[in-house]
Amino acid sequence: DIVMTQTPLSLSVTPGQPASISCKSSQSLLHSDGKTYLYWYLQKPGQSPQLLIYEVSSRFSGVPDRFSGSGSGTDFTLKISRVEAEDVGVYYCMQRIHLRTFGQGTKVEIK
Amino acid sequence: EVQLVESGGGLVQPGGSLRLSCAASGFTFSSYEMNWVRQAPGKGLEWVSYIGTSGTTIYYADSVRGRFTISRDNAKNSLYLQMNSLRAEDTAVYYCARDLYCSGGSCYLAFDIWGQGTMVTVSS
């Protein structure tokens, strides 16, 4: 099974400052079709999860451009260029190259 | 409006059974792969099961394989999760999630629409 490891598990950020979350997979997420199946989801307090980023770096419809995803193979990063109050919640990475596995989640709060 | 609405959750004793439903509306359900994802109280997300558009391709997480059965009825725009031999560790909010995002003429595999979830509590 593929294990997804996120760091840090919690993050306290001053509004307007950047934030970065790392996600490492136990196996490469590069598929033979050339795509890398790494996703980022955000679960805001009291809400269902919502898609932020698909295939490493593509922003889902309506996601602000302050969110960006990068990485390859087994190492991936989600960056928020300037954190806003509405960005609080738990961020999860997920792989789907073999079944589907979520990372443990990273809780982002505002200082 | 594109929407997924789960139902069927509740309190069940260990060893018991429960059937969850997910009603889809606002899109052509038969064209979309679907998943169940769960979240134990205060814990992270755990993928549970996947079903292809026709229902012939199915995957399960190791934690539920042999006890849970995913199915769909495209005529009724509905997704199901039959849960048998329930354990305390199955206690969670269960979400259904649509598995395809289409934009600008291209489609991408992604859980783009999620339901609000239904709570399952396994306890004596």
Side-chain angles (χ1 to χ4, degrees):
Chain A
D1 291 0
I2 296 179
V3 176
M4 306 295 288
T5 303
Q6 290 182 228
T7 55
L9 298 184
S10 65
L11 207 47
S12 184
V13 187
T14 301
Q17 293 301 301
S20 179
I21 300 170
S22 170
C23 176
K24 296 183 186 297
S25 60
S26 60
Q27 300 177 33
S28 175
L29 302 186
L30 175 61
H31 194 273
S32 56
D33 64 8
K35 297 182 179 182
T36 299
Y37 291 108
L38 186 281
Y39 302 79
W40 291 97
Y41 294 88
L42 165 61
Q43 186 174 31
K44 295 183 177 181
Q47 296 185 17
S48 301
Q50 59 189 77
L51 176 64
L52 290 177
I53 301 285
Y54 60 96
E55 293 179 11
V56 180
S57 58
S58 296
R59 275 188 302 275
F60 181 54
S61 175
V63 174
D65 60 8
R66 63 179 181 274
F67 290 92
S68 64
S70 63
S72 64
T74 61
D75 290 355
F76 305 92
T77 301
L78 175 70
K79 292 183 179 178
I80 311 173
S81 59
R82 296 173 305 280
V83 171
E84 298 187 5
E86 66 180 25
D87 300 336
V88 299
V90 182
Y91 292 77
Y92 296 92
C93 60
M94 190 200 83
Q95 68 80 22
R96 64 178 298 147
I97 197 169
H98 174 65
L99 299 181
R100 291 98 175 93
T101 314
F102 289 94
Q104 319 97 298
T106 296
K107 186 174 184 178
V108 173
E109 61 178 20
I110 299 295
K111 279 185 183 175
Chain B
E1 179 191 5
V2 174
Q3 197 172 12
L4 297 172
V5 178
E6 302 93 337
S7 61
L11 175 63
V12 61
Q13 292 188 339
S17 298
L18 211 54
R19 189 196 196 204
L20 304 183
S21 299
C22 170
S25 59
F27 64 98
T28 306
F29 179 71
S30 59
S31 297
Y32 289 82
E33 302 163 12
M34 299 293 295
N35 292 264
W36 287 99
V37 176
R38 69 184 180 183
Q39 185 171 37
K43 302 297 184 181
L45 301 174
E46 179 188 15
W47 172 77
V48 172
S49 184
Y50 157 94
I51 187 167
T53 54
S54 64
T56 55
T57 301
I58 286 174
Y59 305 129
Y60 296 102
D62 289 346
S63 58
V64 306
R65 187 175 296 115
R67 300 187 299 122
F68 289 11
T69 301
I70 191 172
S71 63
R72 65 190 297 160
D73 186 334
N74 287 338
K76 294 183 177 179
N77 294 328
S78 293
L79 173 72
Y80 306 102
L81 186 67
Q82 176 67 44
M83 304 186 296
N84 298 331
S85 303
L86 282 162
R87 306 166 180 168
E89 54 264 36
D90 296 319
T91 294
V93 173
Y94 284 74
Y95 299 98
C96 58
R98 192 176 79 168
D99 198 350
L100 192 69
Y101 166 54
C102 295
S103 175
S106 297
C107 292
Y108 309 89
L109 297 173
F111 297 179
D112 70 331
I113 301 295
W114 297 64
Q116 86 290 346
T118 187
M119 182 70 204
V120 172
T121 303
V122 184
S123 175
S124 55

